[in-house]
Amino acid sequence: MANLKEIRNRIASVSSTMQITSAMKMVSAAKLKKAQDAITAMRPYSDKLSELLQSLSASLDADSGSKFADNREVNRVLIVAITSNRGLCGAFNTNILKQSALLAKEKYAGKQVDFVAIGKKANDILKKKNKVIANHSSVYDDLTFDNVAAIAQELMDLFTTGAYDKIEIVYNKFKNAATQIVITEQFLPIVPVEGEANSAADYIFEPSKAEIVEQLIPKSLKTQLYKGVRDSFASEHGARMTAMHKATDNATDLRNQLKLTYNKARQAAITGEILEIVGGAEALNN
C-alpha cells in the first residue's frame, strides 16, 4: 500500500506541474501575439531606413565619413548580449551566451573583451567570468524606443570617445514561434557600403546629403538596437511557449504512465489479497 500511496503522490505532483506549464504556455501565447505584431510592423521601417542610409552613404566621398565609421585598430571590443530576465524558455538564453563566449574566445582572442548585458540572465552568467560594464535588465519593464535609444546613445558615446574600438550585438532573431535565429551584428563602426550609389542621384536633398547622413546615422543605430531588443523579446515568448507546450505534453505522458503503473499495482494488490483469503479458507476447510 505504501507503494500505491507513493504513486498517487507522484500523479498529483505531475498533474499540478502540468497545470502550471499549460497556464504559462497560454500566457506566453498571448504575449507573443503582441510582441510579434510589434516587430513585424517595425521591420519595414528599419529596413527602409537602412536602405536610405546606405544609398546616401554610397554616394558620398570617402573623406566625408562619419565619426561612427571610424575603422581603427581593434584592441578593445564590447559585446552586447541580449537575453531575457526569466528562464523556462528552452535554449533561448543559452544560445546567446554560447555565441557571446565564442566571439570573445575565438574571434577576438587576445583582445580586451567586455560585455553589456540586456537581460538578467546575461548579467548573471557573464559576470562570473567576464567584465560586465553595464546591466540594462530593467529595460523590459517598459520596453519603449526612448528607453532603448538611451542605451544605444551610451554605446555610441563609448565608441566615439575611444573607450572601445568595436561594438557587436548578439541576439535572437524572431522567425516564428518555434524558430529563433542567433544573430551577430556589428553595431559600431558602421559597416561600409559595398558597391556604387544607386538611386540617390534621383533626389534633391535639403540640407546636403552629408548633413542628412549625420542625422540619420544616430537614428539608424538606435533603431538597429531597438529592433534587436524587440526581436529578442518576441523570440523569448515564442521559445517559452514552445518549451511549455513540450513540457505539458511530457507531463501528460508521464501522468498517463503513472496512472497505468498505479492501476497495475492496485490490481496486483487486490489479486494478492484475494489469493490470501482463498488460501485461508481452504486451510480452515482442511
Side-chain angles (χ1 to χ4, degrees):
M1 282 299 179
N3 189 33
L4 291 176
K5 183 178 180 181
E6 180 182 346
I7 296 175
R8 282 199 303 270
N9 290 338
R10 289 194 62 191
I11 291 174
S13 176
V14 171
S15 298
S16 177
T17 301
M18 186 178 66
Q19 290 177 348
I20 294 173
T21 56
S22 180
M24 292 182 67
K25 172 191 169 183
M26 290 187 290
V27 170
S28 293
K31 291 182 177 180
L32 172 63
K33 181 63 170 64
K34 184 177 180 180
Q36 183 178 353
D37 290 344
I39 187 60
T40 303
M42 182 184 175
R43 278 176 180 167
Y45 170 78
S46 177
D47 294 342
K48 194 64 180 177
L49 181 61
S50 299
E51 178 186 336
L52 177 60
L53 181 62
Q54 290 178 358
S55 177
L56 288 170
S57 300
S59 64
L60 293 175
D61 297 332
D63 296 336
S64 58
S66 167
K67 58 184 178 181
F68 299 113
D70 184 13
N71 283 283
R72 47 186 180 257
E73 183 181 356
V74 178
N75 294 314
R76 298 174 298 276
V77 180
L78 184 63
I79 298 176
V80 182
I82 305 176
T83 63
S84 65
N85 284 344
R86 298 181 298 160
L88 297 177
C89 46
F92 173 83
N93 293 315
T94 304
N95 291 337
I96 296 299
L97 296 171
K98 284 183 178 180
Q99 180 64 17
S100 300
L102 191 65
L103 284 174
K105 184 178 180 180
E106 296 186 2
K107 185 176 180 180
Y108 298 115
K111 311 291 185 183
Q112 175 190 330
V113 181
D114 297 333
F115 291 87
V116 167
I118 300 181
K120 186 175 182 295
K121 292 299 179 181
N123 181 64
D124 291 346
I125 301 300
L126 291 174
K127 70 180 182 181
K128 294 180 180 179
K129 296 183 179 180
N130 305 277
K131 182 180 178 181
V132 179
I133 65 169
N135 174 26
H136 297 287
S137 303
S138 60
V139 73
Y140 290 115
D141 297 336
D142 185 17
L143 187 53
T144 62
F145 178 80
D146 290 338
N147 289 337
V148 177
I151 301 174
Q153 186 62 54
E154 291 179 16
L155 298 177
M156 288 186 279
D157 292 341
L158 288 171
F159 178 79
T160 55
T161 57
Y164 293 95
D165 305 312
K166 194 172 186 180
I167 301 177
E168 300 226 37
I169 307 173
V170 184
Y171 66 95
N172 279 294
K173 181 179 180 180
F174 178 80
K175 184 176 181 181
N176 53 53
T179 306
Q180 299 83 38
I181 304 171
V182 177
I183 299 293
T184 301
E185 283 183 357
Q186 181 171 315
F187 187 69
L188 286 168
I190 57 174
V191 180
V193 181
E194 297 181 358
E196 299 179 354
N198 42 35
S199 59
D202 299 334
Y203 300 97
I204 298 175
F205 297 97
E206 181 66 33
S208 67
K209 285 186 285 187
E211 291 180 61
I212 294 176
V213 168
E214 284 300 314
Q215 294 177 15
L216 279 181
I217 287 178
K219 187 176 185 64
S220 178
L221 290 171
K222 293 174 182 177
T223 303
Q224 179 185 355
L225 183 62
Y226 183 59
K227 182 173 71 71
V229 176
R230 270 292 177 189
D231 255 316
S232 179
F233 189 63
S235 298
E236 174 193 350
H237 292 303
R240 182 170 292 111
M241 186 185 74
T242 301
M244 292 301 99
H245 175 72
K246 292 180 179 179
T248 301
D249 289 345
N250 292 338
T252 302
D253 293 340
L254 180 57
R255 185 188 62 176
N256 292 338
Q257 292 175 5
L258 288 171
K259 283 184 175 180
L260 182 61
T261 302
Y262 175 80
N263 291 335
K264 287 181 178 180
R266 185 168 177 269
Q267 184 178 10
I270 293 173
T271 303
E273 291 176 358
I274 293 175
L275 291 176
E276 289 178 4
I277 293 171
V278 172
E282 289 182 355
L284 290 175
N285 292 332
N286 294 331

